[in-house]
């Protein structure tokens, strides 16, 4: 398959929240990326509720209902409701289907009764843990695909957080081994998506559902999460930033296989993906603090089309259930963005979001639209191979960080980054050579099965 | 300051969308003009007018007739409009005030107070002064014809239990708006059980959840004050707390 | 005492978030209203933690610590930490003191270790429920004052949500009786504050603490809360809006008695108070959805100096404790506002906040800076008496709502508002006459004690 | 796009504020050059260099000497720098990899494997594939000289209990990052009690709270993988789960 060789946007200034070059319309007529930002609420079931299908249905009925009700109560025009599968919903496709059917019924009731326009995204759980099963050929693999088929009947949008390369990544991330991370994200992850996504797209098309997109959550977010905040000592922030850039080589594959967006919220690489593809993207930032902390809470809104909370466990708060509370917070977040668009102040508003975080952290810096675009450009200019474009993304990311005098580093970060860059620069030209090098270097890693990636 | 164009996708006024979806007036309750006038005054919630109408009606009708053929059916109309979503809370409260005033007049005429359906004890949890919810419950229960013994706000557990021992109500209600005060309810329920008083204990208030209230015996969760009267009717008709919970919760 | 007769701001355009005409500096050197917006985080203890002083101390130690840690982790420069007293902390002044002392120790540790600048606000619980005790002369009254004295030793800022007039208000709100609400908010509430606040100010001065301010939460917020959202049927939104306007007559008294700000977060009348006094105000909107829903989540930020979550019960979320999570959300909210100021885009940013809610609801409409200012003007122009200015606030509020063709009403709201206006217009000229009228009309209200208000 | 002026009150880079607060290098562990070189290679976490240094040292020193006088003290230095906050996690993992490689060489020389301190069983909860936390714990325990039996991710309850029955570890650890999987831990604890295995069960992972873990017998909450080795030391020194909980929790 030919890899993407051009940018959808000829320059970063063209990118704006609420606007995608190729908007997507769901079967319920909700337009995403067509000129306004829409909230994406993600409730998560309470422990224990997964015991039986009955209790889990009841849990989602409550959580979904609270979100929809709150939207009506405060006047939110549109909503995307995402259910991230818990193990049981994918493990038994029947569960996934029943919950998707229920959610759709609820959406339609509210549309009918109030005129609320909404869509439902089903995110299947990727149970194929590489060090436990052959990700291309195992019972879990077929279960994942069955779950897609079951949910596609009802869901407006389909997604997954695929985990190809994870076994190598986990081994390397805690060893500061960027070569291995590049192999995991750029080569293994990409090859897995190239195998998985055509099947998802086919299922989606068959049922008239939308193949949304994927994320490198399993790798880049692990890095971001472990790097943590300013007191974190688990990982260098520069490694997390480079891992983010490398995530593009990976997530981009889903769209090259026919995914049409909206991309998955937790893919912090989405500003880069949007710059390349022009497809609508879901993003998350400050209002997903309920799910995890980040150093880029505002800048992530700069070019988003959907604005999400990632995940919040269903619980009571003084102001209602968490599902209602976060629907309200997201609703007002997007209301101010949409107002900016309506008033013609979107540039100024975007500038505030970006400048809030641009120099707060490395992650925020490289995800600022201009830098995101530049990394994307490096990706499409180096489309000889998955490896080549991922390496280019990492190198460009590093160069951008080193080039801006307003971006400060602790001495540890400075050393680390220098180290990663020299290591990357020493890597072979050709993908085959790199693969040989890695197959040898990581042969001993527990559970690594080259055949599972067609190697 | 700039204003957005009209009908921009910033918000949707759903209240306008659903407006006069179900518009309906009050139905006629009596062919007798005097009795209908009493009912009308209730529907508009005009206490003074109700008193005048009732005194007039008393010239032609027996007090009990007025109660049964205009005051009570009139109030039922109000309840219906409220259930339909046509009436807002204050309209119901005012009507119930008016009805009570009217009934008082009739009772004076009868020389004895009319038969109430049954006693209900209401209170707001110990340490909690959030009692508006309870006040609404009181009004709606009275409107429903129940004899309401309200212990007020911040009521010690013992006082609640004693009141139940003395009055033997068909139902007990509790309101709590603070998670730090709602803990009184399971303790009340336990003490009631100990005293052999299996009284349905309907608990409501912002702090409570169905999970919490159904986690202790006797407890039934009330999400809306409007349910109180119907719940009391059920209790009166003999449903025990388990049956009430089965019907109203879950 | 002479009532305020002039506006601090000569026009609404001068009002901006982060800027107060009279900034306040805490004893720890934190400047409020001096050119940047600061987050105010309010954690609330879990049920059961109030059983012993030891467990409650532990609870606040965790909640406060999580907030401060998260601020350091994401780079929040400043923070105001508020503890709203639960019953026990005011009932036993020793508890209030110990918790204030602990909080201050935590603040100082973080200042020392990282350079985080923060302040601590102690909000004493007003236990004087008018229908239960004589609010001027009861054991509870002295306990409230003792609690102030105990906390003033340590707290940077003191506040209370006083409840004078509440017995009449509660009786009238559920009876659609605006005359009684005017009496409760404008006359009784004001007279209670005029009695209470000089004592608070004296205590604050004695200890070098700041007498922050008060709120009409007990009345106007009850109305707002009961009116609810677009599906609410408990109360008309126009009554809630009028109640908000009338809240000014009440809350303003605290500042006339020497309170210097920052005002209390839950006082949605604060935009009006700020227009009149020029003092820094704490406000809350979308990010206090954890405490209650509102139809003015964005507009409340338009002229705020502190930005609060009102209250969130301490619990775990995937992203950390609620205290940490909401500190992060608030931090990014204020970061974008402060960025707007730095970029010179604060006007555009403010316009987005306002236009988001201006026509969403009546509450949002009258709290938009221009309308807020106009209501304030009516208040100062009618300073003959508490009654006169409160009536003027209500009438002006109603006229403003009726005058704007872009503000739509349901027929029920239209009728209701018309009704309230005619009722208000029929009221007597003079305060004495109004008081006589009300003393007579509400003589029978359970627990109403005119002497408790010096009547 | 506009940029804010430098040092504007938008954010504070606390990481720069506290930088090189406590800057310290590794301390010398041996006066013997060969042994010190081994230690240095550990401190830099260079596995190949460690192997070379060890093979060299083996010409002049007994394997056990090398282990006790350079590998272990060298690793202790690494631990100290990590505790000080000078070292980041990967540096510790790499050093521990290096140490294990070095020890393996010595063991080959000795012809038998060296005495480990004690056995520790680790696992990630049933249904949960979030095992990085566990992997970190494994590395740090090995670095601490413990014999780690890791059952991996998504481990059925029975398997955990059996492993404890067979290996009789001084400590069991569990990692769970999902609130839906952490529920396995109390059940494991119960089954251990039933089998009379009073093994301290240290539970960690993003989903867990101190409240939850200390709500069941045997449970001790671990907030940071770095605690695992010291906790195992305590268990080894004879502290039971109650004493461990008292020391590390609350
Ligand atoms: C108004 C209000 C007050 C008023 C109360 C006036 C009064 N007489 O009630 C005043 C100002 C006095 C007040 C004081 C305080 N308050 Co207050 N208050 C509120 C507020 C804003 C609205 C509550 C309200 O009136 N709701 C409207 C009524 C009608 O709702 P309701 O009672 O729930 O009733 C409805 C249903 O629950 C149901 N229902 C209720 N009871 C029953 C019973 C039956 C049988 C049935 C069927 C149904 C039913 O019917 C009603 C609808 O139809 C809430 C905000 C919130 N999020 O709840 C905070 C809130 C309840 N208060 C709070 C706090 C902390 C306080 C103070 C401690 C603050 C302080 N530091 O001073 C003090 C408490 C002192 C004390 N010991 O009680 C917190 C409680 C936190 C917690 N622990 O849970 C809240 C949640 C605010 C917050 N987000 O922090 N408060
Ligand atoms: C990386 C990640 C993944 C990776 C995991 C890769 C791996 N091999 O671990 C992948 C992509 C596979 C993944 C998958 C899923 N994930 Co995930 N994931 C995360 C993420 C972003 C980071 C977790 C992480 O690696 N943390 C870093 C490690 C080092 O932290 P840690 O394990 O807690 O360990 C630290 C301490 O806890 C302690 N510790 C841990 N164990 C022990 C033991 C002892 C003895 C001691 C002393 C200390 C200790 O030491 C460490 C620090 O030193 C979190 C986000 C979050 N907020 O946690 C979500 C998260 C955990 N995932 C979540 C979900 C829902 C999922 C999926 C279901 C999503 C889906 N629909 O596909 C699937 C799960 C499938 C399954 N059955 O497990 C949710 C869990 C929600 C819940 N129910 O609680 C989270 C919280 C994200 C969210 N906010 O929704 N995920």
């Amino acid at each position: 398959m030919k890899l993407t060789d051009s940018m959808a946007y000829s320059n970063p200034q063209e990118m704006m929240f609420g606007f995608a070059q190729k908007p997507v319309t769901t079967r319920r007529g909700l337009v995403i990326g067509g000129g306004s930002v829409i909230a994406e609420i993600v409730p998560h079931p309470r422990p224990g509720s997964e015991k039986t299908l009955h209790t889990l249905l009841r849990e989602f009925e409550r959580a979904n209902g609270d979100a929809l009700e709150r939207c009506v109560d405060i006047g939110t025009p549109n909503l995307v409701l995402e259910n991230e599968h818990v193990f049981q919903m994918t493990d038994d496709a029947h569960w996934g289907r029943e919950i998707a059917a229920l959610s759709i019924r609820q959406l339609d009731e509210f549309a009918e009764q109030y005129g609320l326009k909404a869509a439902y995204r089903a995110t299947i759980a990727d149970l194929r843990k590489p060090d436990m099963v052959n990700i291309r050929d195992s019972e879990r693999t077929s279960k994942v695909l069955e779950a897609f088929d079951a949910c596609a009947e009802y869901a407006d949008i389909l997604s997954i957080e695929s985990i190809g390369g994870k076994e190598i990544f986990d081994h390397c991330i805690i060893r500061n081994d960027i070569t291995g991370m590049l192999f995991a994200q750029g080569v293994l992850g990409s090859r897995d998506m190239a195998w998985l996504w055509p099947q998802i797209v086919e299922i989606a098309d068959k049922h008239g559902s939308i193949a949304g997109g994927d994320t490198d959550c399993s790798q880049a977010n692990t890095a971001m999460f472990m790097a943590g905040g300013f007191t974190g000592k688990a990982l260098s922030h520069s490694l997390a930033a480079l891992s983010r850039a490398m995530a593009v080589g990976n997530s981009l594959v889903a769209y090259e296989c026919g995914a049409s967006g909206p991309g998955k919220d937790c893919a912090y690489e989405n500003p880069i993906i949007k710059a390349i593809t022009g497809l609508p993207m879901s993003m998350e930032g400050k209002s997903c603090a309920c799910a995890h902390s980040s150093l880029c809470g505002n800048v992530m809104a700069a070019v988003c089309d959907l604005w999400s909370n990632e995940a919040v466990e269903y619980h009571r708060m003084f102001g209602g259930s968490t599902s209602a509370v976060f629907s309200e917070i997201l609703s007002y977040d997007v209301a101010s963005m949409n107002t900016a668009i309506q008033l013609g102040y979107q540039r100024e508003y975007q500038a505030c979001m970006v400048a809030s975080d641009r120099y707060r952290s490395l992650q925020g810096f490289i995800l600022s639209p201009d830098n995101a675009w530049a990394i994307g450009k490096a990706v499409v200019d180096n489309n000889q191979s998955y490896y080549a474009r991922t390496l280019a993304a990492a190198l460009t990311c590093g160069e951008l960080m080193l080039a801006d005098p307003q971006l400060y580093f602790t001495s540890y970060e400075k050393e680390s980054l220098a180290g990663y860059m020299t290591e990357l620069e020493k890597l072979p030209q050709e993908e085959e050579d790199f693969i040989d090098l890695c197959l040898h270097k990581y042969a001993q890693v527990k559970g690594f099965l080259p055949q599972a990636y067609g190697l | 300051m700039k204003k957005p164009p009209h009908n921009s996708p910033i918000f949707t006024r759903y209240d306008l969308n659903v407006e006069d979806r179900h518009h309906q007036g009050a139905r006629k309750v009596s062919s007798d003009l005097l009795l209908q006038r009493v009912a009308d005054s209730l529907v508009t919630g005009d206490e003074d007018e109700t008193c005048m109408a009732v005194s007039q009606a008393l010239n032609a009708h027996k007090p009990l007739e007025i109660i049964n053929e205009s005051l009570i059916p009139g109030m039922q109309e109000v309840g219906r409009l409220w259930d339909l979503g046509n009436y807002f809370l204050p309209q119901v409260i005012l009507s119930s005030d008016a009805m009570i005033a009217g009934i008082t007049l009739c009772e004076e005429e009868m020389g004895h107070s009319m038969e109430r359906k049954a006693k209900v004890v209401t209170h707001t949890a110990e340490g909690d002064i959030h009692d508006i919810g309870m006040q609404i419950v009181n009004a709606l229960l009275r409107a429903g014809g129940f004899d309401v013994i309200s212990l007020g706000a911040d009521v010690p557990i013992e006082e609640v239990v004693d009141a139940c021992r003395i009055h033997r109500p068909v139902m007990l209600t509790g309101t709590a708006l603070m998670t730090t005060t709602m803990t009184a309810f399971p303790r009340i329920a336990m003490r009631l059980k100990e005293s052999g008083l299996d009284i349905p204990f309907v608990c409501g208030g912002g702090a409570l959840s169905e999970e919490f209230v159904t986690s202790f015996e006797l407890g039934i969760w009330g999400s809306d004050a409007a349910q109180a009267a119907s719940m009391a009717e059920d209790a009166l008709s003999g449903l025990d707390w388990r049956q009430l919970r089965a019907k109203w919760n879950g």
Side-chain angles (χ1 to χ4, degrees), chain A, chain B:
Chain A
M1 174 180 42
K2 185 166 167 316
L3 303 185
T4 314
D5 60 1
S6 64
M7 300 293 283
Y9 293 89
S10 58
N11 69 66
Q13 290 74 39
E14 292 171 7
M15 299 172 67
M16 178 50 62
F17 50 76
F19 294 88
Q21 266 183 11
K22 312 190 184 83
V24 168
T25 304
T26 70
R27 44 179 141 188
R28 288 185 167 60
L30 185 67
V31 182
I32 298 166
S36 74
V37 181
I38 298 167
E40 179 165 23
I41 179 76
V42 192
H44 195 90
R46 273 167 299 187
S49 60
E50 77 287 357
K51 285 210 175 56
T52 70
L53 174 57
H54 174 77
T55 51
L56 196 57
L57 276 165
R58 183 86 185 81
E59 184 80 348
F60 276 111
E61 184 181 18
R62 281 217 189 90
N64 297 345
D66 292 353
L68 292 162
E69 242 172 60
R70 180 58 58 93
C71 286
V72 167
D73 256 323
I74 63 172
T76 309
N78 312 110
L79 182 73
V80 172
L81 181 68
E82 181 192 19
N83 286 173
E84 267 199 1
H85 278 203
V86 289
F87 183 81
Q88 294 79 355
M89 290 160 73
T90 297
D91 187 56
D92 182 344
H94 174 62
W95 288 39
R97 174 190 285 104
E98 287 303 305
I99 288 159
L102 163 81
S103 309
I104 290 307
R105 273 200 304 282
Q106 292 179 289
L107 255 53
D108 291 340
E109 271 167 30
F110 275 79
E112 219 254 79
Q113 195 178 351
Y114 299 100
L116 173 72
K117 242 186 195 174
Y120 174 73
R121 184 203 295 257
T123 296
I124 277 51
D126 192 351
L127 308 176
R128 311 167 303 142
K129 187 145 191 282
D131 57 355
M132 290 165 58
V133 302
N134 177 329
I135 60 175
R136 286 194 185 182
D137 174 17
S138 74
E139 195 197 351
R140 289 184 166 214
T141 311
S142 20
K143 282 183 169 180
V144 166
L145 293 169
E146 281 159 28
F148 268 110
D149 194 67
C151 295
E153 244 183 79
Y154 301 97
D156 298 286
I157 305 163
L158 298 173
S159 284
I160 187 170
E161 309 184 353
S162 67
I163 60 181
K166 187 68 189 156
E167 72 284 44
I168 296 296
F169 185 88
D170 287 353
H171 174 86
C172 298
I173 180 104
I174 56 179
R175 290 176 171 78
N176 222 358
D177 177 355
I178 190 158
T179 301
M181 288 164 64
L182 172 54
F183 182 56
Q185 297 184 264
V187 178
L188 302 181
S190 302
R191 297 178 69 95
D192 180 50
M193 281 207 195
W195 176 84
L196 177 65
W197 269 92
Q199 307 180 63
I200 298 174
V201 171
E202 191 191 332
I203 292 171
D205 292 346
K206 189 176 83 194
H207 294 282
S209 177
I210 292 169
D214 205 326
T215 160
D216 196 23
C217 172
S218 73
Q219 308 187 107
N221 288 20
T222 307
M224 176 174 73
F225 189 86
M226 289 180 70
F230 290 137
T231 63
K233 290 276 178 207
L235 206 75
S236 71
H237 289 275
S238 39
L239 186 59
L242 294 172
S243 179
R244 176 65 56 201
M246 296 193 291
V248 177
N250 181 342
S251 299
L252 183 55
V253 177
Y255 306 96
E256 291 172 326
C257 295
S260 63
K264 185 80 176 69
D265 53 4
C266 58
Y268 283 69
E269 59 272 21
N270 279 347
I272 310 175
I273 301 283
K274 184 173 181 175
I276 298 173
T277 63
L279 298 174
M281 293 291 139
S282 183
M283 309 205 195
E284 57 184 45
K286 70 175 178 200
S287 301
C288 83
C290 54
H292 64 83
S293 178
S294 90
L295 285 162
C296 44
N298 282 323
V299 68
M300 291 313 297
V303 301
C304 72
D305 300 291
L306 296 178
W307 184 239
S308 158
N309 68 305
E310 177 164 325
V312 67
E313 191 166 273
Y314 189 71
H315 276 304
R316 277 186 62 77
M317 302 189 105
F318 300 148
S321 75
T322 49
S323 174
V325 167
F326 278 84
S327 295
E328 179 161 343
I329 294 175
L330 293 171
S331 292
Y332 280 112
D333 285 345
V334 304
S336 53
M337 290 189 247
N338 291 330
T339 308
I341 293 171
Q342 294 300 321
L343 298 181
Y345 291 154
Q346 65 273 30
R347 291 260 151 255
E348 291 79 359
Y349 194 96
Q350 187 185 48
C352 297
M353 293 296 126
V354 173
S356 156
D357 304 341
R358 186 182 181 84
Y359 296 112
R360 185 188 296 267
S361 73
L362 305 182
Q363 193 88 208
F365 175 77
I366 64 157
L367 295 175
S368 298
D370 54 344
N371 293 328
W373 189 90
I375 293 169
K377 189 79 172 69
V379 167
V380 297
D381 289 349
N382 295 271
N383 67 329
Q384 312 87 309
S385 67
Y386 290 140
Y387 163 66
R389 72 181 182 181
T390 308
L391 176 58
L395 287 169
T396 308
C397 172
E399 286 152 10
L400 286 165
M401 293 193 286
L402 291 167
D404 193 319
Q406 276 181 267
L407 185 65
Y408 297 103
F409 293 83
T410 62
S411 48
Y412 173 76
E413 291 293 349
K414 216 175 186 55
E415 288 162 30
S416 311
L417 181 52
Y420 305 132
M421 292 301 275
T422 34
E423 182 171 339
L424 289 172
E425 281 148 4
K426 284 211 232 75
L427 292 174
Q429 270 295 322
E430 298 306 321
E431 186 171 65
E432 311 82 87
D433 305 335
F434 179 69
I435 291 178
D436 293 343
L437 177 154
C438 292
L439 285 179
H440 172 77
K441 186 169 180 193
Y442 303 109
Q444 300 315 319
V445 173
K446 176 169 161 299
F448 174 43
L449 203 69
Q451 312 85 287
Y453 300 93
L455 290 172
Chain B
M1 195 182 280
K2 260 195 182 181
K3 291 178 188 179
H6 182 39
N7 280 335
S8 52
I10 297 172
F11 58 78
T12 302
R13 284 286 303 273
Y14 294 106
D15 54 342
L16 298 170
N17 288 9
V18 300
E19 176 159 26
D20 48 53
R21 170 79 47 95
H22 29 231
H23 239 338
Q24 275 196 38
R27 289 181 300 217
K28 220 161 165 314
V29 307
S30 169
S31 50
D32 177 291
L33 286 174
L34 291 167
L35 295 181
Q36 182 58 42
R37 179 175 164 209
V38 171
D40 293 340
S41 72
L42 268 196
V43 170
T44 51
D46 181 339
E47 187 170 330
D48 304 346
E49 163 66 11
T50 304
C51 294
M52 276 189 293
V54 168
S55 348
Q56 270 217 358
L58 279 169
N59 305 329
H61 297 276
K62 292 208 185 52
L64 216 54
E65 236 179 306
I66 298 175
I67 292 177
N68 294 330
E69 290 166 33
S70 64
L71 287 168
I72 289 177
M75 195 63 214
Q76 279 161 347
E77 268 309 289
V78 173
R80 195 176 61 82
L81 294 172
W82 157 261
D83 292 339
L84 276 175
N86 291 359
Y87 262 27
F88 276 52
L89 178 70
Q91 301 169 284
V92 181
I93 304 279
L94 290 171
S95 303
S96 97
D97 287 356
M99 181 186 72
I100 287 158
I103 288 178
T104 316
L105 284 180
C106 297
E107 288 177 332
E108 284 162 6
E109 184 72 15
M110 295 190 288
H112 63 82
S113 66
M114 90 178 236
E115 205 22 67
R116 292 286 190 289
K117 284 177 181 164
K119 284 184 179 174
V120 176
V121 171
T122 69
H123 85 289
T124 296
E126 179 161 9
D128 202 327
I129 62 176
H130 297 92
D131 60 2
I132 298 184
M134 178 197 67
Q135 291 186 36
I136 300 172
V137 168
N138 291 346
L140 297 179
L141 282 170
R142 293 205 176 92
F146 289 90
D147 180 8
V148 178
I149 294 128
S150 183
L151 308 176
D154 188 7
V155 187
I157 292 179
E158 273 318 313
E159 199 178 319
V160 178
V161 177
D162 293 342
C164 291
R165 198 176 289 111
I166 296 159
H167 298 287
R168 303 283 164 154
V170 287
M171 182 171 100
L172 166 67
T173 82
T175 296
L177 269 84
M178 300 175 63
T179 50
T180 44
T181 59
M182 65 185 188
T183 45
F185 294 157
R187 285 184 277 138
I188 289 175
M190 204 176 44
R191 301 274 296 94
L192 287 175
K193 291 291 281 181
E194 288 166 7
S195 330
L197 297 164
D198 265 17
I199 304 168
F201 182 17
V202 183
C203 304
L208 303 183
S209 66
E210 182 168 347
E211 284 71 21
F212 177 75
V213 179
T214 54
S215 71
F216 54 86
E217 291 191 293
L218 301 187
I220 298 128
W221 181 57
S223 61
D224 195 314
Q227 305 167 327
S230 327
M231 286 174 157
E233 294 286 356
D234 289 344
L236 184 56
S237 75
L239 299 195
D240 65 19
W241 66 269
R242 287 193 185 75
Q243 294 163 311
L244 274 169
R245 184 187 286 181
K247 174 172 177 185
W248 292 91
N249 296 164

